[in-house]
Amino acid sequence: MSSHHVSGQTRPRTAAIRRRPLAATLLVALMLPGLAFAQTAKEAELEARVAELEKMVRQLVSQQQSSAITAAPPPATAPAPAVADGKAIQTTTITPSANPGTAFSFGGFIKLDAMATDTSDGRIADGSAGRLFYVPSTIPVGPDDAEGGDAYTDVHAQFSRFWLAADHVTDAGDKVKAYIEADMYGGGSNSLLGNETSTNTYGVSLRHAYVSWNNWLAGQTWSNFQDTAALPDSVDFVGPTDGVVFVRQAQLRYTNGPWSFSLENPQTTVTPYLSGGPRFNSGDNIAPDATARWITKGDWGHFTVAGLLRQFKAGEETATGGALSASGKFNLGANDDIRYAINGGSGIGRYLAFGMGTDVVQDVDGDLEALDGYGGYIAWRHVLNPKLRGNLMYSAAHFDNDVGLMGQGVTERAHSLRANLIYSPFSKLDIGAELSFGQRFLEDDREGDLSRLHTTVKYSF
């Protein structure tokens, strides 16, 4: 009985044991496909992601290659034209007649001038240069009871200008430059090439036109006797005109280090005997005006001296003269500088103060005598902050007239004082206002005054 019982219990337990490996085997067999399927799905997902990454890499490489081709610099002789909508804007170089490798540049500025002027002895003639900027010889001088009347306003953009330049370096290393510049000044009188009636059209005026080759320059530009680097920062076209040497003319110039020499276009300005007629110009000169200049400069600024030799000729009569000039700019720290010039000599007339005095006077026999004259200016420039600067300047000129030859009605001297503030909200844009006062004195002790408020907006490009 008991033996049977034991045997009966053993068989079910043995069967259960046998069934467990079978169940485990079945379970493993059932799970393996699932595990295999899960493994296969993960691999497929990874392969898809790898394929997508490879596609992205190929696209990036393609874009970089395309950008490199687009950014590649064009040949110097055939610049790549700009392209819009698949069509070339320009298929040739901007300077097709220039030497290969020539660099072309363009610039200038737009300048609006607006001023209110009050003169004590009458008004400056409408349309004349004195209505556009400060010209001391145009200050009216009348009798003692003269009245200037009300102030008058002028607004113009005639000093806007543009320039073109072409620079080239030869295979041998020679530097060649062609430069031309013009403004809308119109020859100094709006009655010639302009109007203020309807369209305010004005004539284009040549300022500079020259070619330079290494040390040589040929063409029209500033006289070598003039130091443009010392000109004050003025709202007016020139500013302290009374004491400024200001001449542009055709010339041949040679520069070597601190030295420069030039032969320049001659012209003689003449006052007739006892001012019996209007002053006039003579182009009878044989010899050109000759100049020499020496300059030194550094972080402190610059200093320069210049000399001028001239021949004067009117008809068959001749005379000679000469002048000296010393000028410069001295930096007083980072925010201040002093600019100055002292000029004088015999026959300096047309070079100084826009020709306030003449070069020579005729005596009773028609012979020419050179007039002595001198003038200068000093200006202080102060930068208040990166956007605001101010200037204070004084200038004067004087001529030693022989009243026995010229009479009492000629200009003896002039001077002016001016102050300004110039605001630059960003680079290249200037908005300025300047107050000025000037006087002109005649040999007979009469004098005329000018007061002016001058504002400007100027954008350079």
Side-chain angles (χ1 to χ4, degrees):
M1 190 68 187
S2 59
S3 171
H4 177 76
H5 176 73
V6 171
S7 176
Q9 289 181 344
T10 302
R11 281 196 299 268
R13 189 175 296 172
T14 302
I17 292 173
R18 288 176 180 174
R19 284 196 298 268
R20 286 175 185 171
L22 178 59
T25 301
L26 289 173
L27 180 61
V28 171
L30 290 171
M31 290 177 62
L32 281 175
L35 291 173
F37 178 78
Q39 184 67 22
T40 302
K42 289 182 180 179
E43 289 177 351
E45 181 182 355
L46 288 173
E47 288 176 357
R49 293 179 64 185
V50 169
E52 183 65 24
L53 288 173
E54 289 178 347
K55 181 179 178 181
M56 293 173 63
V57 169
R58 286 194 298 269
Q59 289 176 346
L60 288 173
V61 171
S62 177
Q63 291 176 0
Q64 289 176 351
Q65 291 175 344
S66 176
S67 299
I69 293 173
T70 303
T77 55
V83 176
D85 297 330
K87 295 182 179 180
I89 295 176
Q90 182 175 316
T91 58
T92 61
T93 174
I94 197 171
T95 54
S97 300
N99 287 315
T102 295
F104 175 81
S105 53
F106 169 79
F109 59 74
I110 303 299
K111 188 174 191 287
L112 173 71
D113 291 290
M115 64 202 77
T117 305
D118 184 26
T119 43
S120 63
D121 289 26
R123 295 188 176 186
I124 300 173
D126 189 21
S128 67
R131 297 286 288 261
L132 306 180
F133 65 103
Y134 175 64
V135 182
S137 61
T138 65
I139 298 176
V141 179
D144 292 339
D145 60 351
E147 294 184 3
D150 296 333
Y152 41 99
T153 297
D154 293 282
V155 182
H156 68 89
Q158 290 178 247
F159 293 130
S160 301
R161 71 181 62 160
F162 61 89
W163 56 261
L164 310 170
D167 293 87
H168 177 66
V169 180
T170 68
D171 294 338
D174 294 325
K175 296 181 179 180
V176 183
K177 181 184 187 71
Y179 183 90
I180 187 167
E181 180 179 307
D183 63 16
M184 316 303 155
Y185 181 41
S189 175
N190 290 343
S191 62
L192 297 176
L193 295 171
N195 72 84
E196 296 182 60
T197 305
S198 300
T199 59
N200 284 263
T201 55
Y202 303 104
V204 174
S205 301
L206 178 67
R207 289 172 52 84
H208 302 271
Y210 65 81
V211 59
S212 63
W213 172 39
N214 293 333
N215 296 4
W216 292 92
L217 179 147
Q220 176 170 306
T221 190
W222 299 115
S223 170
N224 191 45
F225 189 61
Q226 177 181 350
D227 180 15
T228 57
L231 288 175
D233 187 10
S234 178
V235 168
D236 183 82
F237 177 57
V238 179
T241 311
D242 319 78
V244 170
V245 168
F246 194 97
V247 172
R248 285 190 305 266
Q249 57 195 8
Q251 61 192 269
L252 178 65
R253 183 188 301 182
Y254 176 77
T255 303
N256 190 350
W259 291 95
S260 57
F261 308 88
S262 69
L263 297 175
E264 306 187 7
N265 180 60
Q267 187 79 186
T268 301
T269 58
V270 185
T271 296
Y273 176 64
L274 291 180
S275 302
R279 53 188 286 177
F280 63 92
N281 284 15
S282 170
D284 297 334
N285 304 66
I286 298 174
D289 291 358
T291 78
R293 176 175 294 278
W294 175 82
I295 186 171
T296 182
K297 50 190 175 182
D299 294 340
W300 51 270
H302 81 274
F303 172 75
T304 180
V305 291
L308 171 68
L309 291 176
R310 305 183 63 193
Q311 179 209 44
F312 311 113
K313 194 170 189 296
E316 299 300 321
E317 303 301 326
T318 63
T320 57
L324 293 174
S325 174
S327 58
K329 172 185 173 183
F330 188 74
N331 297 323
L332 301 172
N335 297 325
D336 297 86
D337 67 63
I338 299 294
R339 308 179 192 196
Y340 61 91
I342 302 174
N343 318 291
S346 179
I348 196 174
R350 76 177 180 91
Y351 280 82
L352 182 65
F354 273 94
M356 187 177 72
T358 59
D359 299 325
V360 297
V361 59
Q362 291 177 321
D363 66 13
V364 66
D365 297 320
D367 295 334
L368 303 180
E369 292 191 16
L371 295 177
D372 293 338
Y374 49 90
Y377 63 85
I378 186 167
W380 170 47
R381 181 177 186 265
H382 175 65
V383 178
L384 289 86
N385 59 57
K387 294 186 177 182
L388 185 65
R389 63 190 188 272
N391 297 268
L392 180 65
M393 56 197 86
Y394 175 78
S395 61
H398 187 281
F399 285 88
D400 292 331
N401 303 307
D402 185 342
V403 295
L405 297 177
M406 304 180 71
Q408 297 281 345
V410 294
T411 300
E412 177 192 18
R413 57 191 173 92
H415 65 181
S416 66
L417 177 69
R418 63 192 62 241
N420 66 43
L421 284 174
I422 302 174
Y423 174 64
S424 300
F426 53 85
S427 177
K428 305 298 183 180
L429 178 64
D430 291 335
I431 303 170
E434 183 170 281
L435 283 171
S436 62
F437 175 78
Q439 290 182 300
R440 181 166 73 101
F441 300 84
L442 305 186
E443 287 288 354
D444 60 8
D445 294 332
R446 289 181 295 154
E447 57 90 13
D449 304 340
L450 175 148
S451 301
R452 175 173 285 170
L453 171 61
H454 189 156
T455 62
T456 190
V457 176
K458 175 184 174 183
Y459 180 68
S460 303
F461 55 88

